[in-house]
């Protein structure tokens, strides 16, 4: 499928009048619908349906040889998931009722207002898109595998909530509906937006703009562009970022900071699919998918009246929340190692050993700056390291000097008690490491200086010994 085609399924126009097919095709194309097949011979419908992925059919009611009502009955029997809109030259109530009873999505008179016709088609497309997305979501949730794991190569995580998020993103990849990304600063919302764009397969660019602080005029000019002579100094027309993102994705960051008037313009863009460049009275169609992000709580903002309710509900068609680092502490060892290697490569240093207790110690720090803050800390530590081990002074200062003993601890045994055997000591160490790591084997293995499979084997042996 051509990623720039919209909708993601084909629309089939069936009418025995070629002139109506031409005019309807042009109308749909002006609206931005370019995934269209026309058919003036009703007997060819069955072959077309077998050869193409059709999601919506616009069907003339009165045709020779095979009537639209006969074809409607066939569609409902053979292709019940396909939406069918009946077109008729006559406004007949009985015919409309019968068609709807047979399963037609809508009944439209050909002489109806163009906006009414387009509105019905838009609703049918939206219904089909939601159905396809629900099917993909159900299939993805039943699977524990990522179909496009390579698209998440930039994410360093083993957290189950993040993997679930990736599966959800795969399921909505083909959707044209907006996506709302929420999460604290530094959690990686920009990376998520990039993954959404890559997963979509769109051949246009990913265009990013931070809308925080933009007043209404700058917002309009930045997104919608302007016509020549629109204002003093506008000596030539300039396209906006909406047009620059045609065929791709438009990413609006910090959407929670939009002014009230800019919110209205964004809502119109999403609802109507069109916009007006400054100084122009001719609308343009948006040809990009919109992805937005914010660190603010939009639900609270709309309750307080600072963010429009209708815009909020329009944006949250698909919603992704990225948890803060303090809620996915299992990723700490992975991120420490990843950023250490990155920093060493950039600073042209040999890879450094990471103290086994560092990840455990950092679990007590809230990381208000999230992954971005951790990266900065690791880079600072690497730059200060002169030996073969990561300099932990940066982290010790962060969490407080009174806990330095966690990094360097000597063990003492009472002299009046017998020493434990190596087997007993090994068991005690494993149990203590698992307790400190909250039963996370990866983190416990790092504390013990062994691999996770080796720790898993020790735990299995300990369980078998206790059962004997």
């Amino acid at each position: 499928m051509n990623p720039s085609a919209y909708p993601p399924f084909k629309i089939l126009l069936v009418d025995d009048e070629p002139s109506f097919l031409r005019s309807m095709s042009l109308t749909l194309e002006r609206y931005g619908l370019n995934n269209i097949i026309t058919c003036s011979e009703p007997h060819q419908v069955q072959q077309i349906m077998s050869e193409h992925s059709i999601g919506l059919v616009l069907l003339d009611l009165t045709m020779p040889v095979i009537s639209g009502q006969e074809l409607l009955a066939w569609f409902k029997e053979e292709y019940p998931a396909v939406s069918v809109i009946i077109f008729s030259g006559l406004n007949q109530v009985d015919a409309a009722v019968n068609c709807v009873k047979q399963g037609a999505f809508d009944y439209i008179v050909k002489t109806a207002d163009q906006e009414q016709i387009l509105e019905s088609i838009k609703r049918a497309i939206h219904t089909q898109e939601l159905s396809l997305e629900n099917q993909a979501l159900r299939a993805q949730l039943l699977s524990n595998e990522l179909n496009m794991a390579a698209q998440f190569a930039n994410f360093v995580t083993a957290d189950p909530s993040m993997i679930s998020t990736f599966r959800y993103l795969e399921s909505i990849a083909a959707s044209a509906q907006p996506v709302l990304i929420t999460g604290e600063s530094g959690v990686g919302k920009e990376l998520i937006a990039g993954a959404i764009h890559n997963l979509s397969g769109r051949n246009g660019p990913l265009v990013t703009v931070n809308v925080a602080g933009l007043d209404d005029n700058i917002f309009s000019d930045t997104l919608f562009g302007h016509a020549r002579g629109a204002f003093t100094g506008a000596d030539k027309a300039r396209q906006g970022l909406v047009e620059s993102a045609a065929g791709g994705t438009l990413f609006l960051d910090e959407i929670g900071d939009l002014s009230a008037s800019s919110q209205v313009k964004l809502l119109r863009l999403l609802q109507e699919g069109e916009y007006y460049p400054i100084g122009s009275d001719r609308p343009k169609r948006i040809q990009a998918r919109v992805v937005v992000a914010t660190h603010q709580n939009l639900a609270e903002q709309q309750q307080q009246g600072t963010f429009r309710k209708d815009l909020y509900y329009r944006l949250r068609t698909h919603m992704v929340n990225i948890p803060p680092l303090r809620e996915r502490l299992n990723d700490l060892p992975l991120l420490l190692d990843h950023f250490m290697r990155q920093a060493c490569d950039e600073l042209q240093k040999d890879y450094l050993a990471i103290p086994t207790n560092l990840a455990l110690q950092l679990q007590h720090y809230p990381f208000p700056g999230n992954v971005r803050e951790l990266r900065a800390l690791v880079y600072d530590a690497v730059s200060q390291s002169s030996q073969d081990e990561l300099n932990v002074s940066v982290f010790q200062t962060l969490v407080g000097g009174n806990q330095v003993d966690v990094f360097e601890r000597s063990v003492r045994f009472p002299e009046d008690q017998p020493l434990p055997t190596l087997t007993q000591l090994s068991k005690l160490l494993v149990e203590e490491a698992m307790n400190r790591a909250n039963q996370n084997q990866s983190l416990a293995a790092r504390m013990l200086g062994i691999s996770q499979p080796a720790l898993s084997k020790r735990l299995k042996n300990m369980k078998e010994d206790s059962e004997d």
Side-chain angles (χ1 to χ4, degrees):
M1 185 192 77
N2 182 356
S4 63
Y6 183 76
F9 48 82
K10 292 187 180 297
I11 300 175
L12 175 61
L13 309 185
V14 184
D15 197 298
D16 61 315
E17 297 180 14
S19 59
F20 178 77
L21 292 177
R22 284 195 298 272
S23 63
M24 181 55 64
S25 296
L26 290 173
T27 297
L28 297 181
E29 288 172 0
R30 280 197 298 269
Y31 179 70
L33 306 175
N34 54 14
N35 207 1
I36 301 170
I37 297 177
T38 60
C39 174
S40 60
E41 301 291 341
H43 65 272
Q44 296 179 353
V45 168
Q46 294 188 21
Q47 181 180 350
I48 292 174
M49 292 297 296
S50 66
E51 295 175 350
H52 300 277
S53 177
I54 308 292
L56 173 62
V57 177
L58 308 183
L59 180 63
D60 184 28
L61 184 62
T62 307
M63 295 183 292
V65 185
I66 306 176
S67 70
Q69 202 147 1
E70 290 176 300
L71 278 176
L72 174 61
W74 178 81
F75 274 115
K76 291 298 103 180
E77 182 177 346
E78 299 294 330
Y79 296 92
V82 173
S83 296
V84 179
I85 295 178
I86 296 294
F87 278 82
S88 175
L90 300 174
N91 188 3
Q92 299 173 319
V93 176
D94 291 343
V97 171
N98 287 334
C99 288
V100 172
K101 282 184 177 180
Q102 280 187 265
F105 182 85
D106 202 353
Y107 180 98
I108 298 177
V109 180
K110 289 183 177 180
T111 55
D113 180 73
Q114 189 177 88
E115 287 299 318
Q116 178 185 345
I117 295 174
L118 287 175
E119 189 60 35
S120 178
I121 293 172
K122 284 163 58 179
R123 285 190 291 107
I125 290 174
H126 183 60
T127 299
Q128 282 295 106
E129 286 180 331
L130 289 178
S131 177
L132 292 174
E133 290 161 18
N134 286 337
Q135 292 175 25
L137 181 57
R138 285 195 299 269
Q140 197 64 41
L141 290 177
L142 291 173
S143 171
N144 291 322
E145 301 293 331
L146 291 174
N147 296 323
M148 293 175 277
Q151 301 297 346
F152 303 102
N154 291 331
F155 294 87
V156 180
T157 182
D159 187 78
S161 65
M162 292 297 292
I163 303 303
S164 295
T165 296
F166 297 160
R167 290 203 297 269
Y168 176 72
L169 293 180
E170 286 188 342
S171 71
I172 64 171
S175 171
Q177 299 302 314
V179 182
L180 171 61
I181 307 170
T182 62
E184 297 178 5
S185 296
V187 295
K189 296 188 290 293
E190 302 87 349
L191 285 177
I192 291 291
I196 292 171
H197 173 70
N198 293 334
L199 288 167
S200 72
R202 294 172 177 267
N203 54 12
L206 170 64
V207 176
T208 300
V209 56
N210 189 318
V211 299
L214 297 183
D215 64 31
D216 187 50
N217 290 331
I218 296 178
F219 174 83
S220 299
D221 192 30
T222 300
L223 262 66
F224 308 142
H226 60 253
R228 181 180 178 184
F231 48 82
T232 303
D235 53 350
K236 61 180 179 180
R238 185 182 72 82
Q239 71 176 23
L241 295 184
V242 174
E243 189 172 354
S244 299
T249 304
L250 177 66
F251 176 45
L252 305 179
D253 200 5
E254 300 301 345
I255 200 72
D257 295 325
L258 272 184
S259 66
S261 53
S262 294
Q263 290 178 34
V264 174
K265 294 179 180 179
L266 178 58
L267 178 63
R268 173 179 171 79
L269 178 70
L270 296 174
Q271 282 186 331
E272 306 300 329
E274 63 182 24
Y275 62 97
Y276 288 86
I278 297 176
S280 174
D281 57 0
R282 298 183 62 181
K284 290 187 175 183
R285 303 297 311 176
I286 180 173
Q287 301 290 336
R289 184 185 195 177
V290 176
V291 176
V292 302
T294 181
H295 70 278
Q296 300 192 38
N297 189 325
L298 294 188
E300 288 183 359
Q301 283 191 318
Q302 61 94 10
Q303 290 174 357
Q304 295 166 359
T306 57
F307 198 87
R308 294 182 64 97
K309 289 185 178 181
D310 45 6
L311 177 57
Y312 171 67
Y313 290 115
R314 174 70 64 170
L315 289 173
R316 62 164 298 163
T317 302
H318 299 304
M319 186 171 177
V320 179
N321 181 65
I322 310 303
L325 181 56
R326 62 182 172 275
E327 293 181 7
R328 47 189 180 101
L329 296 174
N330 292 346
D331 285 341
L332 273 175
L334 299 174
L335 290 166
L336 283 169
D337 183 72
H338 175 72
F339 291 141
M340 180 275 293
R341 292 173 182 274
Q342 269 192 350
C344 287
D345 288 340
E346 290 186 21
L347 298 174
Q348 298 182 348
K349 289 189 173 186
D350 293 334
Y351 291 157
L352 303 168
I354 300 176
T356 55
N357 284 319
L358 179 57
L360 175 64
Q361 179 67 20
L362 292 178
Q363 286 189 351
H364 303 287
Y365 180 66
F367 282 104
N370 290 289
V371 178
R372 184 184 295 133
E373 181 183 10
L374 177 63
R375 182 180 183 275
L377 290 169
V378 174
Y379 269 63
D380 190 16
V382 169
S383 67
Q384 297 183 38
S385 301
S386 57
Q387 304 298 323
D388 57 357
E389 186 173 75
L390 186 68
N391 188 320
V392 297
S393 61
V394 173
F395 305 101
Q396 291 173 336
T397 302
L398 190 72
V399 299
N402 61 330
Q403 300 185 45
V404 173
D405 64 314
V406 177
F407 296 106
E408 296 181 13
R409 184 186 299 247
S410 60
V411 180
R412 294 286 183 265
F413 297 103
E415 295 184 1
D416 58 344
Q417 298 292 328
L419 289 173
T421 65
L422 289 177
T423 302
Q424 292 171 331
L425 189 58
S426 174
K427 180 182 178 181
L428 289 172
L429 282 171
V430 169
E431 290 176 347
E432 180 66 14
M434 289 296 291
N435 287 333
R436 293 189 181 190
N438 295 320
Q439 305 306 310
N440 181 276
Q441 291 190 21
S442 298
L443 187 55
R446 286 189 62 87
M447 294 179 195
L448 297 169
I450 60 177
S451 66
Q452 192 274 332
L455 175 59
S456 180
K457 184 177 180 181
R458 286 175 181 266
L459 289 169
K460 182 180 178 181
N461 292 336
M462 286 167 54
K463 182 178 180 182
E464 291 174 351
D465 291 342
S466 63
E467 293 174 350
D468 290 342

